[in-house]
Amino acid sequence: MCGIVGYIGKREAYPILIKGLKRLEYRGYDSAGIALLKDDIFLYKKKGKVSDLESAIADSPIQGNIGIGHTRWATHGEPNDENAHPHQSSNGKFTIIHNGIIENYARLRDKLIKKGYSFKSETDTEVLVNLIEYIYLKETMSAEMAVRLALTKVEGAYGLVVICNDEPDTLIAARKGSPLVIGLGQGEYFIASDATPIVEYTKNVIYLNDEDIAVIKTDELQLKTIKNTPIKPAIKELTLDIGEIDKQGYDHFMLKEIYEQPRAIADTFRGRIYRDCTDIHLGGLQQVWGDLEKARRIIIVACGTSWHAGLVGEYLFEEFARVPVEVEYGSEFRYRNPIIYKDDVVIAISQSGETADTLAAIRIAKENGAKVFGVCNVVGSSITRETDAGVYTHAGPEIGVASTKAFTAQVTVLTMIALKLANHKKTITTEKYQELIKALNEIPEKIEKALALNEQIKLISEKYKDHSNAIYLGRGFLFPVAMEGALKLKEISYIHAEGYPAAEMKHGPIALIDENMPVFIVATKDSSYDKIVSNIREVKARNGVAIAIITEGDTVIKDIADHIIEVPETPESLAPLLTVIPLQLISYHIALMRGCNVDQPRNLAKSVTVE
Ligand code: F6R
């Protein structure tokens, strides 16, 4: 949700900023802009992608050793040149880039209008930069103090970087709610919304905490709170590898990430599953097994695809550990005065670790005394820092906006937690425990087999690329997979798709079925196999088109469905990890065939840091 990048040092800032913006473009691509400081401020901004900005300023002066850049996901005001960041204050003293939302911007705007300010854009950010300038000009003070005072007056979220013309050797960065990382080089500093623009220059970083402010010169970094209390910087080492953020020969990040799943899952369980598959070790939960065992209830909070992984988690925990689970959308949980007991355990699932609604849900759970654990992919992200304990998914950076490998890595982590908890609680036998660990260990190899069906999946996709609607059905562990399949299709191909528990079809959706309705059915052999076979027959009886994901060698569904995609056999609790693969590939191919931007679907952003 908006990417921001900044540089101060001896190098030319422009190439660093542009490259950084390209890396951050997954966070928003409505417009892009940069400001460079060399004697004066040179500001360029443009509706569209970073490449549009680059072309537009190809012949302009782009020098300067200090600069800031922004790639936008529009919140206030339509995507156009005027609303693009950076924004400047009326007298041109301050230039800002901002990620987040200033919730009280309308009131502040009215006050500033009364003081004689006028606005060129519809954005909350322009209000903030003018507020800073107003405070700065009213009394004599440093730019940093003006920023701090302004921030005490705003409600909402921000990750921002400010340049003041009167202090041309300084960048001021601040954070509340929206992430900011500072990279420490030799006589230079890098600032960004995440570490991807920084990693090729330095591995040493500082993650800002909420209400931290950093005053950065080429040879000095001061960290303090917005209340002016100095903070000792905690320098962390990045584990991210530069190779992980390239397409590595694939046409799209999404395709690369789909193909990375065998590796991502193996990395996620490596060192956690014993080599002989007899036990699971989860270091991140070592201290808190007691809380998990005592938990009266587990509440899973998440959004989007992570919420679907949470649904799989519900089936896993209830089936094996016999603990009741509720799966909540962060956005609903936070606003409905939820009942939370002190002996509840809350598990927050998030790829980015920055999703605003999930973070807010965590805070409510903590205020009510529950223990909160995280399942996150991005190391050092806000959720990892606000939770009591957690288990990382080691999927590696996920750049494609549609989540793929993060989902399977999340399900892998939830499987390990559920099995380990069940083993602790003795709600499954040791034999069953070890049998499932062994089966989990075999999943990467089986995913390779599912990926090998790509050409067949492409041919099926071709047939349904021009349809306007699709239904996805599944039962039990596979119902969340149906939901996830539908989400993947709609978000990247803009085809309307809905996922349902297969039995629910009779309660309404069946009315939609005719010869124009493709129905994707996740129907591998499990405890409700006979039931789903009946559901496929019901679809066929109404002339629907049935495309079934089935277990290798299943001849029954083969005879009924229009198309089948066979995946290797695995225990039903692990089937989501395999069956989701063809659905991801179908969405990818259909989106591509429809000419959609697979990695950057319209209206979306990867990291949803606003509510
Ligand atoms: C869908 C997708 C989103 C995210 C959701 C939560 O493909 O990517 O639905 O899953 O925005 O994001 P995280 O997991 O970062 O909290």
Side-chain angles (χ1 to χ4, degrees), residues 64 97 99 149 154 188 234 248 277 281 300 307 428 464 534 541:
I97 47 171
N99 167 28
L149 288 180
V154 303
E188 59 183 353
Q248 292 173 343
C277 294
H281 172 76
I300 296 178
W307 185 82
I428 54 171
Y464 300 103
S534 306

Side-chain angles (χ1 to χ4, degrees), residues 1-4 23-30 70-75 98-101 157 175 177-181 192-196 303-304 306 350-359 376-378 380-383 398-403 491 599-601 603-611:
M1 205 111 304
C2 299
I4 64 182
R23 297 237 165 97
L24 292 175
E25 208 164 24
Y26 71 90
R27 300 177 68 90
Y29 29 83
D30 289 332
H70 187 274
T71 175
R72 176 169 187 245
W73 186 84
T75 58
H98 167 223
N99 167 28
I101 289 186
R175 155 192 176 142
S178 305
L180 265 193
V181 191
S193 302
D194 70 32
T196 55
C303 302
S306 298
S350 175
Q351 187 286 127
S352 61
E354 301 293 350
T355 301
D357 285 321
T358 309
L359 255 172
C376 292
N377 195 40
V378 177
S381 55
S382 303
I383 293 179
E398 192 180 64
I399 314 276
V401 164
S403 194
E491 70 181 323
D599 282 336
Q600 296 176 344
N603 304 339
L604 290 174
K606 183 81 185 152
S607 180
V608 187
T609 52
V610 294
E611 60 172 294

Side-chain angles (χ1 to χ4, degrees), residues 434-499:
Q434 295 181 348
E435 181 191 309
L436 287 167
I437 298 175
K438 195 160 171 286
L440 182 60
N441 195 40
E442 288 165 2
I443 287 288
E445 213 177 293
K446 292 182 178 172
I447 292 185
E448 295 286 6
K449 290 194 178 154
L451 289 168
L453 304 174
N454 187 37
E455 282 309 311
Q456 182 208 345
I457 292 171
K458 200 165 160 184
L459 291 176
I460 296 175
S461 306
E462 176 76 47
K463 291 192 185 309
Y464 300 103
K465 67 177 197 314
D466 297 321
H467 284 245
S468 319
N469 297 287
I471 288 180
Y472 286 70
L473 303 175
R475 299 181 81 112
F477 283 96
L478 300 177
F479 153 55
V481 176
M483 303 273 287
E484 175 58 10
L487 176 61
K488 285 292 88 87
L489 187 71
K490 68 185 132 192
E491 70 181 323
I492 61 167
S493 70
Y494 320 139
I495 293 175
H496 173 234
E498 297 297 337

Side-chain angles (χ1 to χ4, degrees), residues 14 34 36 42-44 53-63:
Y14 179 73
I34 54 160
L36 293 162
F42 292 87
L43 192 150
Y44 308 99
L53 172 75
E54 232 180 336
S55 322
I57 61 177
D59 301 325
S60 314
I62 43 169
Q63 276 157 1

